[in-house]
Amino acid sequence: MLDQLVLATQLALENVDANEVKSVMDKAYTRNISYQPDQVNSMINHDSVNALASK
Amino acid sequence: MYYLLGIEKNLETIAVVSKSFLKLPSKEASFKELKEAYFSFTKYVQPDIPHFSSEEEQINFVEGGDLLDQLINLFLDNNNLSPPKISGYDFKKIYDDMLLKRKFQLIKNSLDVHKKNNLEHYFLVQLLFSYIFLIQSEGLSCATNPKAMGLLLMDHKEWGIGDICEMFIHETAHQLVSLDEYRHGHYLNLLELSKPENYAISAIRKVKRPLNKVIHSLIVAFEIFAYRNSVAKLNMTVKVHPKTSELKKQIVDAIESIVREKHLITLLTPRANLILELIEQKMLSS
């Protein structure tokens, strides 16, 4: 079954639009998500969530 | 993103970002080559992350050494804080070898359960993560960093297998959202995101946060909701996320906090608006 997923990924690679690849790579730095606020996606404990929300 | 868009659309996005780095013709690429091509992309956009090259093709569990310090540094709020903090929470490194071995074994067991529950999602976890490492903290459950794709930080607490499987769903969603952002772009003006007037309610934390965090939270909450609907038997033991009924309300509240403020919608690209609409539609039909 995992082999089928590797095949599916190979197929996706076969079918990508070369123009889209170029466009995405050209924009990779300007679209760099490193510039967004609050970088780390920290998943806090459920009790900490409730403590935050009740403030 | 997996439950929202399906496996094919997500593989398509991984293929778009990986294609330039594939060293073999697509049809000849094994899992190892696919993973290396993907991590060459992450290294291209994020040069500070450690190079990943795994002979075993699996996720590496980092127990200590310089690599662990390097990984932790990528998550620190500020290198000079004492005690060190991640997202405002104090943390410590774990030095107890037995504890580490036991925890890593539990995570490996959880991966096996995850594989049995959803092979497609397991494949995404194996493809998108390079290193898992453990810390001790009071407030954190786990974390990823959009500036350091592929790294998964987990804390040392006594989580059950159901909790850890939900962490895989949660953190894989963050990775896939970030890739979708690289491919399509989600925001028209990044500078606007940090202004408090552009905050909305997070579907996970239930407090106002920057719009990019809220979009991430909506997708993560939806993925957990959809995952639970597909693997109902794990629901009873999970404590890392709220109950499904609460989660559903939090998703609805977060969507409302965005759509009722017209100026927030104008900050989103058509792609991000489409994602928002998809979540709304799927929640209405659930």
Side-chain angles (χ1 to χ4, degrees):
Chain A
M1 272 299 283
L2 277 176
D3 289 345
Q4 287 182 15
L5 289 160
V6 171
L7 281 175
T9 315
Q10 290 174 349
L11 190 65
L13 281 157
E14 279 289 298
N15 292 334
V16 293
D17 177 346
N19 290 328
E20 187 186 9
V21 171
K22 184 177 182 317
S23 167
V24 169
M25 296 314 292
D26 287 348
K27 290 176 188 165
Y29 281 112
T30 54
R31 212 172 249 170
N32 200 327
I33 51 180
S34 305
Y35 297 117
Q36 291 176 3
D38 269 16
Q39 276 302 317
V40 174
N41 293 316
S42 53
M43 179 178 159
I44 58 177
N45 296 336
H46 193 40
D47 48 358
S48 306
V49 169
N50 288 328
L52 261 182
S54 63
K55 273 185 188 172
Chain B
M1 295 296 268
Y2 166 78
Y3 287 100
L4 192 64
L5 303 177
I7 186 75
E8 281 184 20
K9 290 290 178 195
N10 283 292
L11 289 180
E12 197 179 284
T13 297
I14 293 167
V16 167
V17 300
S18 305
K19 179 80 175 185
S20 310
F21 303 96
L22 195 62
K23 291 174 183 161
L24 295 170
S26 307
K27 286 178 183 168
E28 295 173 25
S30 65
F31 180 81
K32 182 178 175 231
E33 275 108 27
L34 296 173
K35 188 160 179 166
E36 284 190 350
Y38 171 67
F39 278 99
S40 295
F41 163 75
T42 64
K43 187 79 179 163
Y44 173 73
V45 288
Q46 301 168 345
D48 292 340
I49 61 174
H51 178 68
F52 177 74
S53 175
S54 171
E55 289 306 312
E56 296 169 354
E57 306 175 18
Q58 300 292 320
I59 298 167
N60 285 322
F61 291 82
V62 182
E63 295 185 18
D66 293 343
L67 179 58
L68 179 62
D69 291 336
Q70 194 184 347
L71 299 180
I72 288 172
N73 276 335
L74 289 164
F75 282 73
L76 290 179
D77 291 348
N78 178 327
N79 282 332
N80 300 321
L81 291 176
S82 181
K85 290 181 191 295
I86 296 174
S87 290
Y89 291 95
D90 292 356
F91 87 95
K92 292 175 186 167
K93 279 204 297 191
I94 299 174
Y95 295 99
D96 182 337
D97 287 349
M98 285 307 292
L99 176 69
L100 275 172
K101 281 188 172 40
R102 195 161 52 83
K103 297 290 177 184
F104 278 141
Q105 190 55 53
L106 181 65
I107 295 168
K108 286 173 187 171
N109 293 347
S110 303
L111 269 171
D112 289 341
V113 171
H114 196 54
K115 186 178 182 180
K116 283 179 192 155
N117 283 333
N118 190 330
L119 191 69
E120 290 179 351
H121 197 277
Y122 169 83
F123 178 80
L124 291 172
V125 173
Q126 286 291 351
L127 189 61
L128 297 178
F129 286 102
S130 53
Y131 297 108
I132 293 179
F133 58 105
L134 284 171
I135 59 158
Q136 296 182 51
S137 89
E138 289 304 317
L140 296 168
S141 306
C142 58
T144 49
N145 188 344
K147 277 168 79 172
M149 303 277 285
L151 311 184
L152 176 54
L153 172 156
M154 300 178 99
D155 84 351
H156 71 300
K157 290 182 199 64
E158 292 296 330
W159 301 111
I161 284 177
D163 292 302
I164 296 172
C165 288
E166 286 204 358
M167 290 182 196
F168 294 143
I169 298 287
H170 185 127
E171 298 301 350
T172 304
H174 280 306
Q175 304 287 297
L176 291 170
V177 178
S178 295
L179 289 180
D180 199 81
E181 289 180 67
Y182 271 118
R183 184 181 179 192
H184 299 284
H186 287 181
Y187 309 101
L188 293 169
N189 185 343
L190 292 180
L191 295 174
E192 290 290 317
L193 296 178
S194 53
K195 295 181 179 173
E197 61 266 33
N198 294 330
Y199 282 21
I201 306 284
S202 165
I204 295 288
R205 295 198 186 184
K206 303 187 282 185
V207 293
K208 284 195 158 191
R209 300 199 75 200
L211 191 55
N212 56 311
K213 287 291 173 192
V214 178
I215 295 292
H216 268 256
S217 78
L218 263 169
I219 296 165
V220 165
F222 173 78
E223 293 285 302
I224 298 294
F225 179 79
Y227 166 72
R228 285 187 183 167
N229 284 343
S230 70
V231 194
K233 64 187 173 193
L234 285 178
N235 281 3
M236 297 302 286
T237 57
V238 171
K239 54 185 183 293
V240 74
H241 289 111
K243 288 177 188 164
T244 307
S245 57
E246 288 172 37
L247 203 56
K248 188 172 183 178
K249 182 181 181 309
Q250 288 171 211
I251 294 170
V252 172
D253 289 349
I255 293 173
E256 280 179 1
S257 78
I258 297 174
V259 297
R260 72 169 171 244
E261 301 289 343
K262 296 274 187 291
H263 71 284
L264 295 183
I265 295 290
T266 64
L267 297 176
L268 302 175
T269 62
R271 176 65 174 183
N273 271 303
L274 174 72
I275 288 171
L276 202 55
E277 283 167 23
L278 267 177
I279 295 173
E280 214 169 357
Q281 282 168 19
K282 286 180 185 273
M283 292 309 293
L284 280 173
S285 62
S286 69

